[in-house]
Amino acid sequence: MRVAIVGATGAVGHELMKVLETSSLKFSELQLYASPRSAGSTLEFRGQPLTVQATPEGALPTDLVLASAGGSISKEKAPRWVEGGAVVIDNSSAFRYDEDVPLVVPEVNGEAALKHRGIIANPNCTTAIAVVAVAPIHRKYGVKRMIVSTYQATSGAGQKGMDELLAETHKVLHGQDAGHQEFAHPIPFNVIPHIDVFQDNGYTKEEMKVAWETRKILGDESLLISCTAVRIPTLRTHSEAITLELERPATPEDIRELLATAAGVEVRDNPDQKLYPMPLTASGKYDVEVGRIRQSLVFGGGIDLFVAGDQLLKGAALNAVQIAEDLQR
Ligand code: HSE
């Protein structure tokens, strides 16, 4: 099998290469594509330099495309890659809401990927991280309502987001005013409750993605979800505070026991030892950390928890490679 990464020079492309280095996916060739600006540069894979090519207009000479170049490129080019015989695992939101495109988190609805018609969508990072923790709870106790507050790292906006945090923080520390380009306001020493564009209902698109995509992945359109998505001045890993109203009451011990054996989850929950999920500990990890598990004071029998997951891994590159591994099994 031949594999191509489109968007190889971006933050997710970089992580795709790292995950592929140690993945069980068997492939004979890795092709790297990016914008014409990056064409000709080389990236190292398993100790060998690989040359980045400009993404061509038409089909790609490959069997599997891992696309992370943005929605407009995927929208335009993915149908041509599929016509050329490739399966596309797309990290953008271009096809996520199409009925005939599976939206897949392997630990939760991996079997959905097998029904693909050429394109499989990788979920929004915040959603992928949340559902790894919430799906086992939904399966056993039935989630009725879900309230999410996110704390999203600057790398959610790609390498430019991280660069902006570092450069603008440096300015502030040297007594200069911080500017902003990637974010709606200066990000150093700030939190910004605004990610992506505002919708007519007052929520942002990022917030609505959590609602739309969680329902699609869990296969439950009756699930009520409200999200507040916030950008914070960290480099990597998205964290989320989640409150769940349940059909059948659960205790924190029930949830700890359930999640202890859940795929893709690391329970990190010991307040006495100051042990809970944080970007500091979750960054670079494949599993999503879950902790601060407690009985909700609002919903009888409900649960509050906190998760932190590396959004460039489980929220993007790792999830895509896991889908590819499952397809090859
Ligand atoms: N939209 C996310 C963010 C990126 O801005 O953090 C991951 O999908």
Side-chain angles (χ1 to χ4, degrees), residues 5 8 10-24 27 30 32 43-46 66 162 236 283-286 310 312-313 317-318 321 325:
I5 298 177
V12 174
H14 181 75
E15 297 302 319
L16 278 168
M17 290 184 66
K18 280 209 295 197
V19 175
L20 281 174
E21 291 236 357
T22 54
S23 124
S24 63
F27 53 97
L30 179 63
L32 304 180
L43 296 172
E44 196 167 300
F45 183 72
R46 292 181 178 158
L66 300 171
M162 288 190 276
R236 183 167 174 143
S283 292
K285 265 187 199 165
Y286 280 13
D310 190 319
L312 293 172
L313 289 173
L318 174 65
V321 173
E325 288 170 347

Side-chain angles (χ1 to χ4, degrees), residues 91 96 123-126 152-157 195-196 206 209 231 238 311 315:
N91 198 50
R96 284 182 193 150
N124 163 266
C125 47
T126 311
Q152 296 185 220
T154 51
S155 51
I195 300 176
D196 211 333
E206 182 77 1
K209 281 178 180 176
R231 185 75 68 199
H238 289 357
Q311 96 288 355

Side-chain angles (χ1 to χ4, degrees), residues 100-165:
D100 61 348
V101 173
L103 180 63
V104 179
V105 174
E107 294 89 340
V108 180
N109 66 338
E111 68 295 338
L114 304 176
K115 297 188 193 124
H116 75 82
R117 293 163 65 179
I119 300 176
I120 300 166
N122 220 23
N124 163 266
C125 47
T126 311
T127 310
I129 291 161
V131 297
V132 168
V134 171
I137 302 173
H138 187 45
R139 243 178 258 131
K140 183 150 185 192
Y141 296 100
V143 175
K144 272 166 46 179
R145 287 189 275 192
M146 174 169 163
I147 300 166
V148 186
S149 302
T150 75
Y151 308 79
Q152 296 185 220
T154 51
S155 51
Q159 186 63 47
K160 285 182 182 165
M162 288 190 276
D163 292 346
E164 183 160 316
L165 172 61

Side-chain angles (χ1 to χ4, degrees), residues 34 255 274 328:
I255 299 299
K274 300 181 187 161
Q328 199 174 54

Side-chain angles (χ1 to χ4, degrees), residues 200-277:
D200 289 344
N201 64 0
Y203 285 79
T204 63
K205 195 166 176 198
E206 182 77 1
E207 292 161 349
M208 292 312 299
K209 281 178 180 176
V210 172
W212 297 327
E213 296 180 23
T214 300
R215 287 192 200 113
K216 181 166 175 176
I217 295 163
L218 296 181
D220 183 354
E221 289 302 319
S222 70
L223 183 55
L224 293 175
I225 301 168
S226 177
C227 177
T228 304
V230 180
R231 185 75 68 199
I232 63 165
T234 52
L235 286 173
R236 183 167 174 143
T237 288
H238 289 357
S239 307
E240 305 174 44
I242 302 176
T243 292
L244 301 172
E245 183 186 23
L246 304 176
E247 306 265 3
R248 297 171 286 285
T251 65
E253 290 69 34
D254 293 333
I255 299 299
R256 265 182 224 116
E257 197 181 302
L258 175 70
L259 294 181
T261 54
V265 169
E266 177 191 326
V267 176
R268 194 177 160 84
D269 193 26
N270 189 332
D272 290 343
Q273 294 176 3
K274 300 181 187 161
L275 207 64
Y276 26 70

